[in-house]
């Protein structure tokens, strides 16, 4: 069962707004066994709308349109749908009453313009889908065994219409397979190396399971997608596949998307040890702390994070001796270790982690190579400094440093 999503509006094409509607629709359709084959963004122009519909219907059973349903003259979707289905606009009395009720409740009935009332006109072949939050109704067409759904582009209006009106109709109209996804989170190994390690495992996956590699800096997500008619068998097969995967790369798997994240694993580790953490960040600018506190309940183990970005702040706030910085450079394993020791001492934490580095594009107060990062860990019975030299891209260096810091907190052992 295939679907295409067509988003209408110049504001999307010029980058004025981000198309979040398509992401929402794709996720919701996937939940009921509908696979989105294409997402198309077009201008609000009759020719483009007509051509997009023609192309979409050739390969899909479901075509969903968002946008172009406003009351102004630049919104062309309704008249184009009439042309496409050789139809005409007729007044929908239920929709007109709804519009009048909205104005009476939130504005004034006397201020309803002809443009507002015209929103109640829809193609005669369409079933109106009530828009609880706006004046433009959604529309449902069923032609030649295919469903066409047109909805406003305003996200909260579209989501309400789709969830309450369109989705139940789709579920009743079509018999659909189950589509189930499960995604493993791997850290510390690149995509190409990972592919070699699991080549045999991948080659032996059942034909109804597809593997996708979703790489990002410092981590790769491995998503398995199973499609079929028996949900229990699909779920059982996915579980068995990931169980077998652990024998190949168990050390790199740090959790599953939607289940336990690496941040949650870190929290569990500290809570089990009944220990507290403090951070002293420089090149990562507080992003490690931000990633940890995104998990509810982080206050059970995370005490504080100091962002001592400028060299003088390392001296004033962390109380690092200026002579150490002058001797070794502000970006050095010695200074990073001192940062961890000092923040541990000042906060009373059991464990402290610190970062320094040259993320670029210039070297700043240090002569260390751009891309050089140090991460220090001070914990009961442990004092370690890890050195990394990454490519000279500022955003990538910082993101890799955050991911590597998370790995260190999770994987290193201390008393």
């Amino acid at each position: 069962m295939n679907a295409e999503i067509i988003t209408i509006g110049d504001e999307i094409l010029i980058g004025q707004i981000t198309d979040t509607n398509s992401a929402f629709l794709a996720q919701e359709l996937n939940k009921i066994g509908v696979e989105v084959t294409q997402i198309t963004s077009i201008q609000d122009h009759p020719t483009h709308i007509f051509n997009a519909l023609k192309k979409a219907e050739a390969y899909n059973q479901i075509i969903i349109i968002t946008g172009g349903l406003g009351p102004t003259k630049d919104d062309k979707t309704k008249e184009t749908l009439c042309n496409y289905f050789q139809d005409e606009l007729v007044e929908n009395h239920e929709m007109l009453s709804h519009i009048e009720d909205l104005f009476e409740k939130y504005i004034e009935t006397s201020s309803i313009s002809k443009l507002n009332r015209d929103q109640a006109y829809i193609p005669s072949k369409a079933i109106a889908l009530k828009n609880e939050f706006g004046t433009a109704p959604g529309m449902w067409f069923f032609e030649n065994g295919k469903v066409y759904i047109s909805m406003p582009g305003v996200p909260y209006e579209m989501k309400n219409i789709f969830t309450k009106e369109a989705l139940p109709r789709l579920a009743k109209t079509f018999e659909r397979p189950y589509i189930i996804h499960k995604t493993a989170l791997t850290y510390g190994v690149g995509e190409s190396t990972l592919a070699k390690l699991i080549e045999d495992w991948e080659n032996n996956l059942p034909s109804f399971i597809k593997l996708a590699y979703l790489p990002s800096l410092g981590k790769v997500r491995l998503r398995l997608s199973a499609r079929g008619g028996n949900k229990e068998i699909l779920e059982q097969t996915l579980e068995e596949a990931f169980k077998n995967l652990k024998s190949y790369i168990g050390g790199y798997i740090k959790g599953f998307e939607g289940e336990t994240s690496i941040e949650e694993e870190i929290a569990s580790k500290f809570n089990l040890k009944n220990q507290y953490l403090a951070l002293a960040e420089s090149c990562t600018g507080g992003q490690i702390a931000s990633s940890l506190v995104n998990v509810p309940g982080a206050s059970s183990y995370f005490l504080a994070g100091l962002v001592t970005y400028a060299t003088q702040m390392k001296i004033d706030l962390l109380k690092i001796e200026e002579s150490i910085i002058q001797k070794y450079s502000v970006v050095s394993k010695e200074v990073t270790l001192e940062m961890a020791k000092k923040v541990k001492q000042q906060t009373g934490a059991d464990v402290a982690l610190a970062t320094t580095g040259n993320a670029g594009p210039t070297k700043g107060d240090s002569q260390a190579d751009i891309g050089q990062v140090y991460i220090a860990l001070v914990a009961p019975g442990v004092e370690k400094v890890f050195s990394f030299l990454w490519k000279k891209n500022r955003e990538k260096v910082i993101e890799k440093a955050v991911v590597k810091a998370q790995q260190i907190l999770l994987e290193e052992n201390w008393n």
Side-chain angles (χ1 to χ4, degrees), residues 214-361:
L214 308 170
S216 56
L217 296 175
K219 55 188 175 183
V220 180
R221 293 180 294 161
L222 296 175
R223 186 191 67 221
L224 287 184
S225 300
R227 183 187 180 104
N230 190 308
K231 186 177 181 181
E232 290 184 3
I233 291 177
L234 296 179
E235 290 175 341
Q236 182 181 348
T237 307
L238 284 184
E239 289 299 324
E240 291 174 355
F242 277 115
K243 184 178 179 181
N244 293 334
L245 179 63
K246 289 181 179 179
S247 65
Y248 289 83
I249 56 165
Y252 295 117
I253 297 175
K254 304 304 177 186
F256 292 89
E257 194 168 80
E259 295 180 13
T260 304
S261 66
I262 192 169
E263 293 87 355
E264 289 169 323
E265 293 284 350
I266 292 168
S268 295
K269 178 178 180 177
F270 275 86
N271 288 330
L272 284 172
K273 287 177 172 289
N274 195 27
Q275 293 179 341
Y276 293 92
L277 170 69
L279 302 173
E281 298 186 60
S282 184
C283 64
T284 49
Q287 292 192 36
I288 301 170
S290 178
S291 72
L292 298 180
V293 301
N294 278 336
V295 175
S299 58
S300 64
Y301 76 96
F302 182 53
L303 291 182
L306 292 180
V307 180
T308 52
Y309 202 70
T311 300
Q312 192 62 43
M313 292 300 100
K314 295 175 175 66
I315 298 169
D316 294 345
L317 296 180
L318 289 173
K319 308 302 181 185
I320 295 175
E321 294 182 15
E322 190 172 355
S323 59
I324 295 176
I325 294 175
Q326 291 176 345
K327 181 177 181 179
Y328 295 107
S329 168
V330 69
V331 179
S332 62
K333 61 182 181 181
E334 291 83 4
V335 169
T336 314
L337 185 59
E338 280 296 301
M339 289 172 64
K341 287 180 178 179
K342 294 294 187 181
V343 77
K344 181 176 184 294
Q345 177 185 334
Q346 291 184 29
T347 61
D350 304 284
V351 179
L353 181 137
T355 63
T356 63
N358 268 343

Side-chain angles (χ1 to χ4, degrees), residues 29-329:
L29 289 168
N30 202 261
K31 290 177 184 177
I32 64 166
V34 177
E35 186 173 1
V36 174
T37 61
Q38 186 163 309
I39 298 172
T40 305
S41 294
I42 59 174
Q43 290 180 332
D44 197 349
H45 186 279
T47 301
H48 295 301
I49 298 171
F50 192 98
N51 290 340
L53 288 169
K54 202 69 179 174
K55 291 178 182 177
E57 75 169 15
Y59 303 101
N60 302 279
Q61 292 79 44
I62 301 169
I63 298 95
I64 299 177
I65 311 162
T66 68
L69 293 178
T72 53
K73 292 182 179 180
D74 61 328
D75 290 306
K76 304 293 185 181
T77 301
K78 278 200 297 189
E79 64 183 60
T80 306
L81 288 170
C82 279
N83 183 28
Y84 192 79
F85 293 115
Q86 297 181 352
D87 200 1
E88 61 180 357
L89 293 175
V90 296
E91 185 180 274
N92 185 292
H93 301 297
E94 184 180 349
M95 291 300 107
L96 180 59
S97 295
H98 169 66
I99 292 169
E100 291 172 343
D101 289 343
L102 283 178
F103 271 79
E104 183 177 357
K105 187 174 181 179
Y106 297 109
I107 313 175
E108 289 182 0
T109 307
S110 60
S111 65
I112 301 179
S113 68
K114 182 179 183 301
L115 290 175
N116 297 132
R117 293 184 184 277
D118 285 347
Q119 291 286 72
Y121 281 81
I122 64 173
S124 67
K125 295 180 181 180
I127 295 174
L129 305 178
K130 186 176 180 180
N131 181 356
E132 293 182 358
F133 305 127
T135 59
M139 292 173 285
W140 170 287
F141 299 85
F142 189 80
E143 291 281 325
N144 300 320
K146 300 178 186 291
V147 167
Y148 303 76
I149 301 169
S150 178
M151 296 176 290
V154 180
Y156 70 91
E157 293 184 21
M158 181 279 298
K159 290 178 180 179
N160 184 266
I161 294 172
F162 188 73
T163 303
K164 292 188 176 182
E165 298 276 345
L167 204 57
R169 287 181 181 272
L170 285 174
K172 291 179 180 179
T173 303
F174 297 109
E175 290 187 11
R176 297 147 285 107
Y178 292 99
I179 302 175
I180 299 175
H181 306 286
K182 187 166 184 176
T183 304
L185 309 174
T186 71
Y187 288 75
V189 60
E191 180 184 12
S192 57
T193 302
L194 199 59
K196 290 180 181 178
L197 291 173
I198 65 174
E199 184 176 2
D200 290 341
W201 172 83
E202 182 178 356
N203 290 337
N204 286 291
L205 288 172
S207 59
F208 58 87
I209 292 182
K210 293 194 301 183
L211 171 66
Y213 294 82
L214 308 170
S216 56
L217 296 175
K219 55 188 175 183
V220 180
R221 293 180 294 161
L222 296 175
R223 186 191 67 221
L224 287 184
S225 300
R227 183 187 180 104
N230 190 308
K231 186 177 181 181
E232 290 184 3
I233 291 177
L234 296 179
E235 290 175 341
Q236 182 181 348
T237 307
L238 284 184
E239 289 299 324
E240 291 174 355
F242 277 115
K243 184 178 179 181
N244 293 334
L245 179 63
K246 289 181 179 179
S247 65
Y248 289 83
I249 56 165
Y252 295 117
I253 297 175
K254 304 304 177 186
F256 292 89
E257 194 168 80
E259 295 180 13
T260 304
S261 66
I262 192 169
E263 293 87 355
E264 289 169 323
E265 293 284 350
I266 292 168
S268 295
K269 178 178 180 177
F270 275 86
N271 288 330
L272 284 172
K273 287 177 172 289
N274 195 27
Q275 293 179 341
Y276 293 92
L277 170 69
L279 302 173
E281 298 186 60
S282 184
C283 64
T284 49
Q287 292 192 36
I288 301 170
S290 178
S291 72
L292 298 180
V293 301
N294 278 336
V295 175
S299 58
S300 64
Y301 76 96
F302 182 53
L303 291 182
L306 292 180
V307 180
T308 52
Y309 202 70
T311 300
Q312 192 62 43
M313 292 300 100
K314 295 175 175 66
I315 298 169
D316 294 345
L317 296 180
L318 289 173
K319 308 302 181 185
I320 295 175
E321 294 182 15
E322 190 172 355
S323 59
I324 295 176
I325 294 175
Q326 291 176 345
K327 181 177 181 179
Y328 295 107
S329 168

